[in-house]
Amino acid sequence: MSSPSKPASSEDIIGQKYDRCLADFLVKAGVGFSAGVVASVIFFRRRTWPIALSTGFGAGAAYADCDHSFNPARISGTRIVSPSELAPSK
């Protein structure tokens, strides 16, 4: 029989979240950079601003996802309900 696995420590959970955020940032910024290069070459006569803009969009999307990962209460349209609000009123 296998021994029961011990629960993950909070440091491991935070480390996994940071790893996921870093990987997400690299992927989204890389995709934004690639899309900016393609747009710059095809549409904007090799200007640099489409590259910077799309890389910033990718980095901003990754930042928002990471922010939601670390603080799920900050998701728009949600609110934290206290136990006293859940109690039925008579």
Side-chain angles (χ1 to χ4, degrees):
M1 295 272 167
S2 64
S3 63
S5 62
K6 69 178 200 181
S9 67
S10 61
E11 291 89 5
D12 291 339
I13 294 170
I14 296 292
Q16 289 173 352
K17 285 185 180 184
Y18 274 119
D19 290 344
R20 208 171 310 125
C21 286
L22 181 61
D24 191 37
F25 174 80
L26 291 174
V27 168
K28 288 185 179 178
V31 168
F33 180 81
S34 301
V37 167
V38 169
S40 176
V41 169
I42 294 176
F43 299 117
F44 298 107
R45 296 179 299 174
R46 299 193 179 176
R47 308 263 188 211
T48 57
W49 66 266
I51 299 169
L53 182 68
S54 60
T55 303
F57 283 161
Y63 176 81
D65 289 345
C66 190
D67 188 36
H68 290 231
S69 173
F70 280 103
N71 190 3
R74 197 177 287 171
I75 298 173
S76 61
T78 61
R79 67 185 185 104
I80 297 173
V81 180
S82 68
S84 62
E85 291 176 332
L86 289 176
S89 60
K90 293 181 181 181

